[in-house]
Amino acid sequence: MDGGTVKAILFDFDNTLIETSRAGGIAIQKVSELLKSVLQVDDNTVSSICSKFRQKLLLESFDSSAGRTIDEVRVNHMEESIREMVDGSYPPSLASDCYFMWKRSRLQVISLTPDICCLLKDLRSRYKLLLLTNGESQTQKEKVKAVGCEEYFDAIVVGGDYPEQKPFPSIFTLCFDLLQVEAQDCVMVGDSLDTDIQGGFNAGLRATVWINSGEGHVPEGSAKPDFTIPHVLELPGILEKLR
């Protein structure tokens, strides 16, 4: 961490400003109810289908040049998850119905809380703010639109639009250029040690702030954040230390 005046803050999105994990859990519960109703199977089977779907999302590698949309790929994730657990026949539209229920439910639940909106408004009066999120372009832009957060940022950068995402330095350089600042002017705030904190370190930022909502410790070999806070609302205290 080097000295210097902070001019800009780069924010991660999922599980930093919005509770994506919580929204996903609520969405999966709705899918579970639909699966149980249609398939007439026990809770363990439904749970296994949903677990397989979530695992496929985690391992997902999306290539837009392959000629399929992200929605089509994820419907296929659900179709495979059902087929791996159910021997009998089921409605051909079930996988699509389940996926789009999951998608709609998740988008309906995610939001910027009033406290976080106030925080961003206040910070933008003193700093340049940029939202830097990894992920498939359509999916992340749908979330940005759902929460209506565009007004709080000077720029929004979605990793899926570019050849490299966090933690690669190239996407941070793009952010610096958009804001017309240097790496040493910026603070990175995010919940991922592997992408946000490592990326901030790779790009030579002024400081990194890790949002650790649990009580986890930094694993051996991981990038070590300059600061750790349990919630983004505690960020002003860190910024005071950096003045």
Side-chain angles (χ1 to χ4, degrees):
M1 182 176 67
D2 300 322
T5 302
V6 175
K7 298 179 181 177
I9 306 170
L10 312 185
F11 283 96
D12 175 51
F13 194 34
D14 294 298
N15 300 310
T16 295
L17 295 177
I18 60 172
E19 295 183 352
T20 312
S21 294
R22 173 180 169 273
I26 292 171
I28 279 291
Q29 182 57 42
K30 291 185 177 295
V31 170
S32 297
E33 293 167 1
L34 176 59
L35 285 168
K36 190 171 184 179
S37 171
V38 173
L39 295 175
Q40 297 294 303
V41 293
D42 58 51
D43 290 341
N44 287 337
T45 300
V46 169
S47 179
S48 294
I49 293 171
C50 291
S51 293
K52 287 176 178 291
F53 174 66
R54 285 185 289 191
Q55 186 65 16
K56 292 177 193 297
L57 290 175
L58 287 173
L59 299 175
E60 183 176 82
S61 178
F62 178 70
D63 180 4
S64 59
S65 66
R68 292 197 299 171
T69 67
I70 189 64
D71 288 331
E72 290 170 335
V73 168
R74 291 180 171 178
V75 167
N76 189 62
H77 291 339
M78 182 60 74
E79 178 67 42
E80 289 178 348
S81 300
I82 296 170
R83 194 165 57 241
E84 288 166 12
M85 293 302 303
V86 177
D87 293 330
S89 62
Y90 50 86
S93 66
L94 181 59
S96 179
D97 293 344
C98 287
Y99 165 68
F100 283 104
M101 173 175 281
W102 174 83
K103 177 178 175 175
R104 286 192 304 270
S105 299
R106 195 169 69 140
L107 290 174
Q108 287 167 358
V109 172
I110 58 173
S111 67
L112 290 177
T113 66
D115 286 346
I116 290 180
C117 290
C118 288
L119 171 70
L120 295 174
K121 285 179 182 177
D122 177 63
L123 291 177
R124 198 174 179 200
S125 69
R126 292 175 286 136
Y127 306 94
K128 293 181 179 181
L129 303 187
L130 183 143
L131 184 65
L132 175 57
T133 176
N134 276 6
E136 191 277 326
S137 182
Q138 176 188 317
T139 300
Q140 295 307 99
K141 289 175 181 178
E142 286 173 344
K143 284 188 279 189
V144 166
K145 182 178 179 181
V147 303
C149 64
E150 296 95 331
E151 66 181 285
Y152 301 110
F153 296 96
D154 295 281
I156 294 175
V157 175
V158 176
D161 287 338
Y162 302 95
E164 295 180 325
Q165 306 191 41
K166 297 179 289 185
F168 289 97
S170 62
I171 195 139
F172 286 89
T173 300
L174 171 72
C175 296
F176 306 151
D177 291 344
L178 286 172
L179 296 179
Q180 297 186 315
V181 295
E182 302 295 328
Q184 296 82 4
D185 301 329
C186 301
V187 173
M188 179 71 218
V189 182
D191 72 303
S192 170
L193 293 171
D194 294 336
T195 58
D196 303 315
I197 306 308
Q198 184 65 58
F201 176 81
N202 292 347
L205 269 66
R206 166 81 172 88
T208 55
V209 182
W210 182 35
I211 308 298
N212 180 18
S213 57
E215 297 183 355
H217 300 289
V218 178
E220 193 66 33
S222 292
K224 292 181 170 53
D226 295 303
F227 302 96
T228 300
I229 53 178
H231 197 281
V232 72
L233 292 175
E234 296 192 18
L235 181 61
I238 301 301
L239 296 173
E240 281 296 315
K241 295 179 182 180
L242 292 169
R243 292 184 66 176

